[in-house]
Amino acid sequence: MIIMKLTKFPQSCALLESNSGTKILIDPGSIDFEEKFLNSWNKADAIFVTHKHSDHFNKEFLGNTSIKIYSTKEVQNCFADIKINDIKVGDKVVIGDMEIEVVKAIHGFLPKMKTGGEVLENVGYIVRADGTSIYITSDTICFNNDYKADFLFAPVTGHGIAMSAYETSFYTKMVGAKLLIVCHLDNTKLFPKNLEYLDAQMKEQGIEYVLLDYGQTIDLK
């Protein structure tokens, strides 16, 4: 039985839809943005943003939408001219038949981030509907937690800002997810991707994973 559908967009953006038709959009960013994405994005019932970086926060789109936006105090302070509803770790938000739990995330740090790019408040989301769950990690390094989910939507970028394929393979097992949906592989100028390494690491740990094209939908069941 299909419980939710996930449609992948550039970098870390996903549109989740429940069986009843509730839709939430997570991290609509600016990387590789195309106007045609708005056909899907504008149908969301709510938008959730994990942190302030532009590959997760498309200021032009979010500054002109009437859809309710949820994010952290840091994001609100960074985009003070946009109405953003406050959330923090431990909160649970209900949108239609979806429950969105706000969980901890730890963004990696590089010295060049000292000029304003350092993320001090970052969150992930565990979305539940009809007994099925998906954990959206955000750009996080590997850390110890007790989060559990049926599906994992996580980066494999490495380069000091998020988990690499090696860490993500272990993290997927820790979460107990039966499928990893890979994200955060689109900024190839800064972070060249190595799909052979990704495949080798996942096979080593026996992790089933999928790489989705822009606009491609997968059934979560």
Side-chain angles (χ1 to χ4, degrees), residues 96-115:
D97 60 343
M98 288 184 171
E99 178 190 80
I100 300 92
E101 179 182 1
V102 186
V103 297
K104 181 179 177 179
I106 304 174
H107 200 291
F109 172 77
L110 296 173
K112 64 181 180 179
M113 290 182 179
K114 282 188 175 181
T115 59

Side-chain angles (χ1 to χ4, degrees), residues 42-205:
N42 284 325
K43 294 176 183 177
D45 297 295
I47 299 170
F48 289 80
V49 175
T50 61
H51 64 285
K52 67 182 181 180
H53 287 162
S54 62
D55 56 333
H56 300 253
F57 194 103
N58 185 318
K59 185 177 180 180
E60 182 175 357
F61 165 65
L62 293 170
N64 290 284
T65 185
S66 60
I67 303 170
K68 200 168 186 177
I69 305 168
Y70 295 86
S71 196
T72 65
K73 282 288 188 185
E74 183 174 50
V75 172
Q76 293 174 56
N77 293 336
C78 189
F79 302 99
D81 55 334
I82 299 176
K83 171 62 177 174
I84 299 172
N85 296 272
D86 182 38
I87 53 172
K88 61 185 182 303
V89 172
D91 287 349
K92 292 183 179 179
V93 181
V94 176
I95 306 293
D97 60 343
M98 288 184 171
E99 178 190 80
I100 300 92
E101 179 182 1
V102 186
V103 297
K104 181 179 177 179
I106 304 174
H107 200 291
F109 172 77
L110 296 173
K112 64 181 180 179
M113 290 182 179
K114 282 188 175 181
T115 59
E118 182 178 3
V119 177
L120 302 176
E121 191 177 7
N122 186 24
V123 296
Y125 301 111
I126 299 178
V127 182
R128 301 180 179 91
D130 291 331
T132 292
S133 56
I134 179 169
Y135 172 18
I136 312 289
T137 69
S138 183
D139 295 356
T140 189
I141 59 175
C142 200
F143 67 99
N144 190 18
N145 61 64
D146 59 359
Y147 305 148
K148 298 296 179 184
D150 301 304
F151 299 89
L152 187 67
F153 187 77
V156 294
T157 313
H159 292 83
I161 62 168
M163 295 181 286
S164 71
Y166 176 78
E167 294 102 295
T168 305
S169 68
F170 287 99
Y171 201 81
T172 305
K173 294 181 77 170
M174 185 177 75
V175 170
K178 58 186 175 183
L179 178 68
L180 166 67
I181 303 164
V182 175
C183 66
H184 206 272
L185 274 178
D186 303 307
N187 192 350
T188 54
K189 290 183 180 179
L190 287 177
F191 311 114
K193 57 187 175 183
N194 186 334
L195 298 183
E196 291 183 1
Y197 179 74
L198 167 64
D199 189 63
Q201 295 305 312
M202 296 306 152
K203 285 181 177 177
E204 179 73 20
Q205 296 303 319

Side-chain angles (χ1 to χ4, degrees), residues 9-49:
F9 293 98
Q11 198 71 331
S12 301
C13 181
L15 180 70
L16 293 174
E17 180 179 0
S18 71
N19 259 338
S20 70
T22 300
K23 297 177 182 176
I24 63 168
L25 181 66
I26 298 173
D27 281 356
S30 299
I31 286 180
D32 289 349
F33 171 77
E34 297 181 41
E35 288 289 330
K36 65 181 181 181
F37 298 158
L38 298 179
N39 294 330
S40 297
W41 291 9
N42 284 325
K43 294 176 183 177
D45 297 295
I47 299 170
F48 289 80
V49 175

